[in-house]
Amino acid sequence: KAKELGFTLKEIREVLKFDDCEDLYELTNRKLTEVQENIKIYNELSKKLKHLLKTCPQSGSIKNCSIIKSISK
């Protein structure tokens, strides 16, 4: 279950050593912050990829591909 919540094996081993719920609360809070930051990053990446797809003519020579031109800058 902990893996499903995004905890790494290292973090799970750390949890097994905790004596206090406060420690687990702090770890979980850090994990939530990490997930929220990753969501922001992936949302921005998604926007950029959608833009690349929108500008691609989907045909013709790879030399003229707008995606290739964008990623080779």
Side-chain angles (χ1 to χ4, degrees), residues 45-62:
L45 179 58
S46 177
K47 287 178 190 177
K48 290 176 183 178
L49 291 171
K50 285 177 184 179
H51 176 74
L52 286 176
L53 290 172
K54 188 176 180 180
T55 61
C56 180
Q58 301 179 41
S59 63
S61 170
I62 193 76

Side-chain angles (χ1 to χ4, degrees), residues 32 34-45:
L32 175 59
E34 179 185 313
V35 167
Q36 289 170 331
E37 289 172 1
N38 284 336
I39 289 170
K40 288 178 188 176
I41 291 167
Y42 282 115
N43 281 335
E44 286 300 315
L45 179 58

